[in-house]
Amino acid sequence: MSMTLGLAGKPNAGKSTFFKSVTMADVEIANYPFTTIHANHGVAYIQTPCPCSEKEKTCGKCKDGIRYVPIDIIDVAGLVPDAHKGKGLGNSFLDDLRQAQAIIHVVDASASTDAEGNPIDSGSGNPAADIEFLDYELEMWMFEILNRNWTRLSRKIKAEGIKIEEAVADQLSGAGVTIEHANYALHDSNLNSIEPTKWTEEDMIRLCRSIRKESKPMIIAANKFDVLDALGIPIVSVEGKTIIPTSAAAELALKSAAKNGVIHYTPGAGSFEIAGEINPAQEKGLNAVKDLLEKHGSTGVQDCINRAVFELLDMIVVYPVEDEGKWTNKTGDMLPDAYLMKRGSTCKDMAYRIHSDIGDHFLYAVDARTKMRLAEKHELQNGDVIKIVSTAK
């Protein structure tokens, strides 16, 4: 997998239900803190229009014109306040999150759990505070790693002329921080012109705040919005945060019913069709979900995954082919692969994604739609179908 999204949040917010609803993996779901002790890994799928709709025949890898592109997803142990100090399962949680390029923070929008994930009366919790504390825990986790040997390291930076961004990235490499992340944060926090030996604790925390925003961008899944309907509570709102109302339980119910042949359902759709006879209990449950979809448009779960990839991480989908006329590979498979690439990626970047030898021996690319030859620095666009020409054998 080329991309990993992390599911984070306090215990009992619905992370495991969210994870199961997007992966259909067999995970434990229970109404008590720390159901997830060890991280669950699975595969979810983002959706994008498939280019094969432009051809006379379909590729056989999409459904109703929608291509499903796999991503890795990890459901980590629940987080509680002071996790960066080891409280709860904090250290395990934070270590698992280092793999994620972005985080979906699953929040109990129904306010029916306290700060540590224990069940309380619906509406009496504080979802806005839950949103803020995850940012804080991640920032303090990074700060403690960076601060651990900083006095010695800052002197070494000055004595040996080491680039600050390289030293910071090296210290935080275990948290998934790159030189690019560190360089951005140094400028964003106005620390690039201050000698590291003179940084205060507040300076370093400000730096880690910028690093967290750049290296672990976050989208909020305001989960259990179906409970809010009954309570009459508005969805939580926090300035500067992308918040998507979700009902992981409803999505899981729809996916399970579709898997069992009870309904026809496309993930993220605002409706479903009954596939056959159903019993009274199934009818009651499906009617409740139908009402939810009619009111909110969808369960929000698929939208959350899609937006995390395409908006938060600003990715595009590119389709490499070997026959630019038929859009196939050597064996005749049409649009065999769909690659997620960072917006701004070039043809040569695409060549290296396919194989390092192809990148090293890149000659040019061909736009399969226009048949135009493209140079190595040509910037790719979402939905491009590209042939790479290389001297690599």
Side-chain angles (χ1 to χ4, degrees), residues 138-337:
L138 288 169
E139 289 157 12
M140 294 307 295
W141 171 54
M142 291 181 178
F143 165 72
E144 292 200 354
I145 295 172
L146 186 62
N147 191 47
R148 201 169 293 152
N149 302 306
W150 189 250
T151 300
R152 177 186 58 80
L153 184 58
S154 62
R155 291 171 182 163
K156 186 177 181 181
I157 291 171
K158 183 179 180 180
E160 300 181 13
I162 300 171
K163 290 184 178 180
I164 303 175
E165 60 268 27
E166 292 179 358
V168 170
D170 185 63
Q171 282 289 98
L172 293 173
S173 61
V177 175
T178 66
I179 292 175
E180 289 75 19
H181 296 148
N183 192 47
Y184 167 87
L186 284 163
H187 286 79
D188 183 59
S189 58
N190 297 315
L191 288 175
N192 55 307
S193 60
I194 301 176
E195 189 177 302
T197 56
K198 296 180 180 179
W199 288 0
T200 65
E201 184 173 295
E202 289 72 21
D203 288 335
M204 294 179 69
I205 291 174
R206 189 169 75 254
L207 174 66
C208 289
R209 184 173 299 121
S210 293
I211 291 174
R212 192 275 305 163
K213 290 179 181 178
E214 185 69 8
S215 67
K216 295 288 184 283
M218 195 178 301
I219 196 167
I220 310 299
N223 199 34
K224 307 181 185 180
F225 73 63
D226 44 326
V227 179
L228 298 182
D229 293 343
L231 294 172
I233 300 174
I235 199 71
V236 63
S237 177
V238 175
E239 186 178 354
K241 296 289 186 181
T242 299
I243 299 176
I244 301 176
T246 63
S247 175
E251 181 71 12
L252 180 57
L254 289 168
K255 288 274 192 71
S256 298
K259 183 179 180 180
N260 293 324
V262 176
I263 63 172
H264 296 300
Y265 172 67
T266 299
S271 63
F272 59 88
E273 296 179 0
I274 304 296
E277 292 186 6
I278 56 175
N279 60 44
Q282 290 173 323
E283 183 178 11
K284 181 179 179 181
L286 289 172
N287 281 338
V289 176
K290 181 181 179 182
D291 291 342
L292 180 150
L293 294 178
E294 289 177 348
K295 182 172 184 178
H296 296 280
S298 77
T299 68
V301 172
Q302 185 64 48
D303 185 40
C304 203
I305 297 288
N306 287 347
R307 290 180 65 180
V309 172
F310 291 119
E311 294 181 17
L312 200 62
L313 290 172
D314 200 19
M315 305 299 284
I316 62 173
V317 181
V318 182
Y319 303 83
V321 297
E322 295 182 70
D323 186 324
E324 68 270 36
K326 298 179 180 178
W327 295 7
T328 61
N329 60 11
K330 288 180 180 178
T331 58
D333 295 322
M334 186 177 181
L335 298 172
D337 299 304

Side-chain angles (χ1 to χ4, degrees), residues 58-137:
T58 59
C59 65
K61 297 173 180 62
C62 63
K63 184 177 181 181
D64 299 326
I66 300 297
R67 185 72 174 243
Y68 292 80
V69 184
I71 60 170
D72 193 21
I73 193 161
I74 179 171
D75 169 28
V76 303
L79 177 73
V80 297
D82 288 334
H84 68 279
K85 297 179 180 178
K87 188 174 180 181
L89 300 174
N91 291 332
S92 172
F93 159 87
L94 295 166
D95 286 344
D96 288 332
L97 267 190
R98 74 186 187 281
Q99 306 168 50
Q101 282 86 54
I103 297 171
I104 296 175
H105 182 187
V106 182
V107 172
D108 176 13
S110 71
S112 56
T113 48
D114 65 17
E116 296 190 354
N118 299 299
I120 56 176
D121 292 338
S122 296
S124 58
N126 190 344
D130 294 340
I131 292 172
E132 298 291 353
F133 100 92
L134 178 56
D135 290 349
Y136 173 78
E137 291 297 334

